[in-house]
């Protein structure tokens, strides 16, 4: 939220960072409220963006509202810097905001992400922007929005455990592996966006500011730095993260989230880090 | 004690269990001059009564007389226009007992009351159940809502309650939509009773069930009411159900209570012309 002068970038004819200043102010006001009430979903006037819903319109609007010329932007999609969505959003902001970009987690001041939290621990001063498809964690059990809002307001969250109960009854363990519900600051239940539950512990007491934007549903929520984030569980079925039997096929890391990649028509497969920056760092260390 | 019972589908009909009400005891629920009118004659007006712990009150009357609206208002789901609903909160006889006004307390407290101390049994079981959640999850929901976080314990209690309402234990992971109407209704009852409520509201609990299933459900209700010492307010248009379950009756017509009294007294010696009509309309075998 540093540099927000109203001036168009060199050759675009667009306002700085694409959105007009009034819209950015509106989003920043919603962000202030979201930071003040950790985990609470704040409605905002989501705009049409030059991309389809589901491709990160919420995240892009948040990034546009907080980005400044001094920022260094990193964009990841499923952990990778080199996927279509990440590459296009990165070049979008290069053009409309004139910012420097990076693939190195530690160099970035602003990271927009889809479905992952970087493996490298984030630092104070960094901002992590999540793209959120469905912000309402209670929806799958209670479809009425009027009712879920009331349940949030009155802190009636027993139903969230019903979902976990059903998992255990059906599969013998909590089978929810992504978008695993969390409780923020001992108050609001929040959908952490479809990150793997492997990443849930990273949200707890994170020094960086975490912002969540849902473009289609027009909701913003946030976790301020150093906020308690706990994953829901049962006493006799405690929260656990995924584990793999083998290390990353490229860098040999055993502590990162691995993607399974099929390599030929015979069904051969390898496991590799989903965080491309982390994988590269591990390789460089070995070199 | 009761000679003039209305017969039900070949079942041996018994009178409601004898009940001792201590006169010094405070009423569990006290309804005072309660009114809710959507339009003149639509809703209910100036209803007052007391309900004591362990008592079963039947509300009878024809369709459109305001029974269901009244039930909604006294069970905290519909704010009345006027009047008070007072509830004696806290365990019986303990120091913590206090009278609270249903519509003056915070909404969060009212809803908390509804899912712990109270229960609501809907006429259509799927209104009161989560159709896409297993039977066990349906029963366990209230337990989890009051903070139980041990899966094993929750499941054990769910199994116990399934047994209590005569649903086979191996149906615990089945969805309510796969249950028969009678089983759904019993599941709904189990779901309400799991937190050991003191007061249950029932809206036509036997509506839409065939007579033999009805009879079994009534047997079950009678057993649970006497074993658990539940206070019940039951709305029905079926006088046979009222006679079987209720200790006391309130007869409603066109938004007003026209007659109240002990069940057998009202049914055997009706005073108000409408009650007389109602009683005489029942098919005699």
């Amino acid at each position: 939220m540093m540099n927000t002068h109203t001036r168009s970038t060199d050759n675009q004819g667009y306002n700085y960072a694409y959105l007009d200043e009034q819209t950015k102010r509106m989003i920043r006001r919603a962000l202030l409220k979201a930071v003040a009430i950790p985990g609470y979903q704040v409605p905002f006037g989501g705009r049409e963006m030059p991309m389809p819903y589901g491709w990160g319109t919420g995240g892009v609007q948040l990034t546009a509202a907080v980005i400044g010329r001094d920022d260094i932007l990193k964009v990841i999609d499923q952990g990778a810097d080199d996927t279509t969505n990440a590459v296009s959003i990165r070049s979008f902001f290069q053009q409309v905001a004139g910012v420097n970009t990076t693939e190195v987690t530690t160099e970035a001041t602003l990271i927009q992400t889809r479905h992952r939290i970087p493996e490298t621990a984030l630092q104070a001063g960094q901002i992590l922007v999540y793209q959120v498809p469905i912000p309402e964690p209670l929806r799958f059990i209670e479809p009425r929005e009027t009712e879920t809002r009331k349940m949030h307001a009155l802190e009636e969250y027993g139903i969230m455990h019903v979902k976990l109960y059903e998992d255990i009854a059906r599969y013998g363990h909590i089978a929810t592996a992504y978008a695993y519900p969390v409780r923020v600051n001992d108050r609001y239940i929040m959908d952490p966006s479809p990150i793997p539950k492997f990443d849930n512990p990273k949200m707890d007491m994170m020094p960086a500011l975490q912002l969540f934007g849902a473009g289609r549903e027009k909701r913003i929520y946030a976790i301020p730095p150093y906020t308690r984030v706990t994953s829901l569980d049962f006493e006799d079925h405690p929260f656990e993260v995924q584990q793999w039997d083998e290390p990353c096929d490229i860098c040999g890391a055993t502590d990162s989230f691995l993607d399974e990649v099929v390599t030929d028509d015979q069904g051969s497969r390898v496991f590799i880090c989903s965080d491309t920056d982390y994988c590269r760092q591990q390789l460089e260390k070995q070199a | 004690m009761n000679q003039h019972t209305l017969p039900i589908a070949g079942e041996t009909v018994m009178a409601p269990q004898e009940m001792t009400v201590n006169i010094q005891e405070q009423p569990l629920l006290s309804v005072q001059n309660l009114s809710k009118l959507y339009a003149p004659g639509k809703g209910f007006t100036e209803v007052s009564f007391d309900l004591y712990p362990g008592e079963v009150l039947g509300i009878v009357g024809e369709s459109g007389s305001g029974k269901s609206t009244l039930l909604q208002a006294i069970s905290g789901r519909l704010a009345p226009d006027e009047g008070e609903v007072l509830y004696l909160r806290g365990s019986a006889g303990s120091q913590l007992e206090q009278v609270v006004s249903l519509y003056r307390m915070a909404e969060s407290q009212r809803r908390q009351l509804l899912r712990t101390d109270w229960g609501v049994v809907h006429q259509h079981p799927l209104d009161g159940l989560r159709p896409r959640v297993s039977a066990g999850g349906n029963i366990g929901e209230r337990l989890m809502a009051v903070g139980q976080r041990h899966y094993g314990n929750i499941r054990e209690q769910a199994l116990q309650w399934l047994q209590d309402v005569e649903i086979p234990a191996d149906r615990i992971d089945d969805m309510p939509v796969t249950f028969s109407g009678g089983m759904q209704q019993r599941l709904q009852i189990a779901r309400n009773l799991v937190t050991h409520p003191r007061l249950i509201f029932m809206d036509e609990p036997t509506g839409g069930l065939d007579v033999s299933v009805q009879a079994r459900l009534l047997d079950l209700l009678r057993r649970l009411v006497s074993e658990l010492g539940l206070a019940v307010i039951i709305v029905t248009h079926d006088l046979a159900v009222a006679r079987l379950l209720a200790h006391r009756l309130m007869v409603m017509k066109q938004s007003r209570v026209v007659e109240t009294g002990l069940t057998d007294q009202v049914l055997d010696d009706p005073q108000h012309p409408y009650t007389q009509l109602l009683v005489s309309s029942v098919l005699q075998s």
Side-chain angles (χ1 to χ4, degrees), chain A residues 147 150 156 161 166 235-236, chain B residues 111 115 134 149 151-152:
Chain A
E147 190 64 16
K150 189 161 274 183
E156 290 180 357
H161 274 85
E166 292 290 292
E235 287 159 16
D236 47 346
Chain B
R111 285 170 61 120
R115 59 175 192 266
S134 70
R149 294 289 179 264
Y151 173 81

Side-chain angles (χ1 to χ4, degrees), chain A residues 35-52:
Chain A
V35 170
I37 318 173
Y40 172 73
Q41 299 166 44
V42 185
F44 78 110
R47 298 294 192 252
E48 293 284 335
M49 296 304 283
M51 58 204 286

